[in-house]
Amino acid sequence: EVQLVESGGDLIRPGGSLRLSCAASGFPISGKSMSWVRQAPGKGLEWVSVIYSSGTTHYADSVKGRFTISRDNSKNTLFLQMNSLRAEDTAVYFCARNFPEIVVVSVDWGQGTLVSVSS
Amino acid sequence: EVVMTQSPATLSVSPGERATLSCRASQSISNNVAWYQHKPGQAPRLLIYGASTRATGIPARFSCSGSGTEFTLTISSLQSEDSAVYYCQQYNSWPPVTFGGGTKVEIK
């Protein structure tokens, strides 16, 4: 059974850094495209980043240069390093496993972890 | 960037009735659209991709039609467990991947 469990969310001051983790089980993340998607309070889903099985990465303009997606295949864990955090980054962050054929369509999702950016 | 616009924002439907949700793309995206269901406090759930292919385990009452810029998600006979927010997503042109703003389906 595929399982994704996010962690690392916290209350952080503007300008701070945070690293989110997504522990995967039931499949090896090394061969999969994985995404981060967020949902701000009262808002809809917003795509954040994707990492392909090849290691190629893409980011939303709103986080480019501040966030970095990566993975540790030995720990079967996906990460999102978040630097220079802003109030508008406040959201629940979901990690997701994508289809191999459609590398940005997310077939399995975690429950999310809450990041609050506030002074 | 492809902008996805969903309507209506909220839909109130009686159990057993049909629910029709719309999604419009700002430019042609062929049939490269997916639909997700999201309930509060839960993980989003993939319903449909490729504009009409149901994901594994999705009931047949969920269907989608459309191509180009106009897409429709239909729930043929609404059940109480279908109360949720529904999002369309385009994957024709990325980055960025873009979602619509969502349609909240309420049970009357």
Side-chain angles (χ1 to χ4, degrees), chain B residues 68-104:
Chain B
T69 61
E70 302 282 344
F71 302 89
T72 301
L73 175 70
T74 300
I75 311 172
S76 60
S77 178
L78 197 74
Q79 308 294 304
S80 58
E81 63 264 31
D82 299 333
S83 177
V85 179
Y86 293 82
Y87 295 94
C88 59
Q89 174 210 31
Q90 71 82 22
Y91 55 93
N92 187 70
S93 174
W94 83 86
V97 173
T98 48
F99 290 90
T103 291
K104 183 178 182 180

Side-chain angles (χ1 to χ4, degrees), chain A residues 33-113:
Chain A
S33 167
M34 303 287 293
S35 290
W36 287 98
V37 175
R38 68 185 180 184
Q39 183 179 35
K43 303 294 185 183
L45 299 177
E46 180 190 15
W47 174 78
V48 173
S49 181
V50 64
I51 183 167
Y52 300 155
S53 57
S54 64
T56 297
T57 59
H58 293 293
Y59 299 91
D61 284 347
S62 58
V63 307
K64 199 174 295 182
R66 300 187 299 124
F67 289 13
T68 302
I69 189 171
S70 63
R71 63 184 177 222
D72 184 332
N73 295 337
S74 66
K75 296 181 180 178
N76 216 36
T77 300
L78 179 74
F79 300 103
L80 186 68
Q81 177 67 42
M82 310 163 67
N83 299 330
S84 302
L85 282 160
R86 306 167 179 167
E88 54 265 34
D89 296 319
T90 294
V92 174
Y93 285 73
F94 300 97
C95 72
R97 179 180 77 114
N98 301 327
F99 274 133
E101 304 88 4
I102 316 171
V103 295
V104 291
V105 172
S106 299
V107 62
D108 295 294
W109 298 66
Q111 298 279 353
T113 186

Side-chain angles (χ1 to χ4, degrees), chain B residues 13-79:
Chain B
V13 180
S14 299
E17 296 292 302
R18 177 186 300 260
T20 303
L21 292 67
S22 296
C23 177
R24 173 177 292 177
S26 60
Q27 62 193 70
S28 178
I29 57 170
S30 185
N31 67 340
N32 296 315
V33 67
W35 290 86
Y36 299 87
Q37 178 192 66
H38 191 203
K39 298 180 181 180
Q42 296 188 19
R45 179 188 183 195
L46 175 65
L47 296 176
I48 289 174
Y49 59 95
S52 61
T53 303
R54 280 188 299 276
T56 302
I58 302 304
R61 64 179 183 273
F62 291 93
S63 64
C64 181
S65 61
S67 184
T69 61
E70 302 282 344
F71 302 89
T72 301
L73 175 70
T74 300
I75 311 172
S76 60
S77 178
L78 197 74
Q79 308 294 304

